[in-house]
Amino acid sequence: MEGKSEMIATWLKKHRLIYTGATRHPFILNIRDGSIDLSSFRRWLAQDYIFVRASVPFVASILLKAWKESDDSSDMDLILSGMAALNDEIAWFKSEASKWGVALHSVVPHKANLDYCRFLESVMSPDIEYAVAITAFWAIEAVYQESFAHCLEDGSRTPEELKETCQRWGNTGFGQFCRSLRNIANRHLEKASDDVLSKAEVILIRVLEHEVEFWNMCSGEI
């Protein structure tokens, strides 16, 4: 058993199956091997735009929790950089949607998306501790980073028109951001009570479950 300082590593070993399901989903593997149905990609583009917009108040709530609960001011700096990136991300989605002929104003959120957005809202509650919320934030970002980085590795046959998307989340800079989030989460989990640790582990599992459902939706499986 890992020490408390490596709680995330411990949980990833324990929940390896669902973590692999989220980061090596058939939707991602189909991008990587070049067999992706582009209608699935358009569905992802439309639905993820809605999710990213819902992420803005979520990340803002974590910034507020950091201000109240963190013992390190650099936490706020990192989370603030994540908020700034969301602004760029929303602009990118609008640009990509125009390129792919996706009318964002008429997109109806799928149930899997609505469920995930409601989950984000639940984590925004003042009753949710910073250690729990930052774990959720790390998990959400890490799934995308690991998934899209996989599509850029040697041997991948990712279509040229999707490489920019994969680079957006699979680049080394975003990887470093995710590692920094993980370090913050581990630091606070190390000092957390058993009750908070239990809540954080459950939140991590729920993020991974929602990610799998989101990919399923994009693949047209639900």
Side-chain angles (χ1 to χ4, degrees):
M1 177 77 174
E2 303 273 359
K4 263 192 172 184
S5 62
E6 292 293 337
M7 280 313 304
I8 287 178
T10 299
W11 291 337
L12 291 185
K13 287 179 184 176
K14 183 177 176 183
H15 305 293
R16 175 54 56 184
L17 193 62
I18 183 70
Y19 188 71
T20 301
T23 57
R24 296 294 183 269
H25 190 276
F27 178 80
I28 291 298
L29 298 181
N30 289 344
I31 292 176
R32 189 181 192 276
D33 68 16
S35 67
I36 185 75
D37 182 338
L38 293 180
S39 66
S40 296
F41 177 77
R42 290 187 182 92
R43 189 180 303 117
W44 168 80
L45 192 66
Q47 293 294 325
D48 208 37
Y49 170 74
I50 294 171
F51 182 77
V52 169
R53 290 185 69 89
S55 298
V56 175
F58 168 70
V59 178
S61 75
I62 297 175
L63 187 65
L64 183 60
K65 292 178 195 293
W67 174 64
K68 288 182 175 180
E69 299 180 42
S70 180
D71 54 1
D72 188 335
S73 62
S74 67
D75 286 15
M76 289 185 65
D77 296 337
L78 186 71
I79 297 163
L80 194 57
S81 74
M83 283 204 70
L86 286 176
N87 187 50
D88 291 339
E89 216 164 276
I90 288 169
W92 179 85
F93 272 101
K94 289 177 178 177
S95 173
E96 284 296 298
S98 175
K99 196 187 304 181
W100 287 87
V102 176
L104 293 176
H105 65 277
S106 62
V107 174
V108 176
H110 192 282
K111 181 181 182 300
N113 201 354
L114 289 172
D115 289 346
Y116 204 172
C117 290
R118 288 191 194 101
F119 167 75
L120 290 188
E121 194 171 346
S122 73
V123 181
M124 290 164 57
S125 167
D127 296 334
I128 299 294
E129 296 84 353
Y130 175 53
V132 177
I134 197 72
T135 299
F137 186 27
W138 164 77
I140 291 166
E141 300 290 60
V143 166
Y144 262 42
Q145 203 282 321
E146 285 210 30
S147 296
F148 285 111
H150 187 53
C151 298
L152 299 171
E153 292 170 354
D154 289 345
S156 66
R157 298 190 296 276
T158 298
E160 281 298 323
E161 61 268 37
L162 301 188
K163 283 185 178 177
E164 182 187 341
T165 297
C166 297
Q167 185 63 32
R168 181 164 195 89
W169 286 279
N171 69 80
T172 55
F174 188 57
Q176 181 55 54
F177 173 76
C178 291
R179 284 189 291 276
S180 297
L181 278 180
R182 177 170 171 158
N183 289 340
I184 291 172
N186 273 325
R187 194 178 81 244
H188 286 274
L189 292 168
E190 185 178 5
K191 299 176 289 186
S193 67
D194 288 346
D195 179 59
V196 170
L197 287 175
S198 295
K199 286 167 70 173
E201 183 177 7
V202 169
I203 285 285
L204 169 60
I205 296 166
R206 290 194 62 197
V207 166
L208 299 176
E209 289 171 344
H210 279 297
E211 290 288 343
V212 170
E213 289 301 306
F214 201 94
W215 294 136
N216 287 346
M217 167 195 65
C218 297
S219 300
E221 296 176 21
I222 55 175

